[in-house]
Amino acid sequence: DADVTQTPRNRITKTGKRIMLECSQTKGHDRMYWYRQDPGLGLRLIYYSFDVKDINKGEISDGYSVSRQAQAKFSLSLESAIPNQTALYFCATSDNKDRGRETQYFGPGTRLLVL
Amino acid sequence: SQKIEQNSEALNIQEGKTATLTCNYTNYSPAYLQWYRQDPGRGPVFLLLIRENEKEKRKERLKVTFDTTLKQSLFHITASQPADSATYLCALEPHDYKLSFGAGTTVTVRA
C-alpha cells in the first residue's frame, strides 16, 4: 500500500461549493504539507503542519483552510470553490530526521476542476 | 523577489547521451538543494540532495553540482534511457524547513 494516500483522486465541482481533500500517511512523519501545481508555475505551498498542534500558512493560503486531525491525517478545504482553484493538489510528508533535511514524500495527487 | 528558474524548454535527447538540466535561483540562500522526478499523473519522487558546502553528488547515473557563487545547480543524467523520460524538479530549502520548487524541465529520451 502507498505510504501517502489522497482522496479523491479526481473531483469536479461547481463555483461556490465547499469541498474537502483528504490526505493520510503511514510513514509516521510529523510534518505534512499541501501544495498545488499549475502548468508552468511549479509546486506552490498552501499550508503546512509540523505537528498536530502546529498549522502554518504557505505562500498561497487565501481561499483554503486545513485541519490536522491526527499525526497521520491532514485535510485541505476549499470553503467556496472558484474556477482559478482548478489545479493538481498534492499532499506531502517529511521527517527531518531522515537523510539530513526535509526530503518530502508526495501523495499521488488530486485533480480538481471547478466549473 | 525570490525566483527559481529551470530550463524553460523541454529537453529531447537520444538514448545513451547525457542530459543536462539547469536550476538557477535568485534571492535565496539555500542550505540544501534537492532534485525530484515527476511522472505524468504522479507525485514527485525524491532523487538527490546536495548541501551548500558540497560541490557535487552522485547516485548511479545521476550527478548534481551546486555552485552557491553562481547560484546554480546542474543535474546530469548520463547514459540516458527512455525510462528516464519525465519532468525533473529542483527544490531549494533555505534554513526554515520549507521547500521552494522550480517549475520543472521535461526530458524525453528517444530510443
Side-chain angles (χ1 to χ4, degrees), chain B residues 12 31 59 73-74:
Chain B
N12 289 281
K59 178 183 176 182
S73 175
L74 299 178

Side-chain angles (χ1 to χ4, degrees), chain B residues 16-83:
Chain B
K17 300 294 187 183
T18 296
T20 298
L21 285 63
T22 304
C23 177
N24 294 300
Y25 58 92
T26 54
N27 296 321
Y28 280 99
S29 296
Y32 301 85
L33 190 145
Q34 302 182 23
W35 285 88
Y36 288 76
R37 169 183 173 140
Q38 186 175 20
D39 292 287
R42 308 285 292 271
V45 175
F46 170 78
L47 295 174
L48 280 168
L49 177 152
I50 187 166
R51 294 175 172 79
E52 60 183 332
N53 60 352
E54 296 177 316
K55 295 293 186 187
E56 182 178 299
K57 202 77 165 284
R58 292 176 185 261
K59 178 183 176 182
E60 297 173 352
R61 295 182 294 108
L62 307 179
K63 184 178 85 170
V64 173
T65 62
F66 192 12
D67 189 326
T68 55
T69 301
L70 291 178
K71 297 187 183 297
Q72 181 181 78
S73 175
L74 299 178
F75 178 82
H76 305 273
I77 308 172
T78 60
S80 60
Q81 304 168 0

Side-chain angles (χ1 to χ4, degrees), chain A residues 86-103:
Chain A
T86 293
L88 189 53
Y89 289 85
F90 287 103
C91 173
T93 74
S94 73
D95 177 354
N96 72 339
K97 294 185 287 293
D98 184 22
R99 263 195 289 243
R101 298 289 284 270
E102 287 312 306
T103 303

Side-chain angles (χ1 to χ4, degrees), chain B residues 6-18:
Chain B
Q6 297 189 239
N7 307 54
S8 57
E9 300 290 325
L11 205 58
N12 289 281
I13 60 170
Q14 186 70 39
E15 182 176 10
K17 300 294 187 183
T18 296

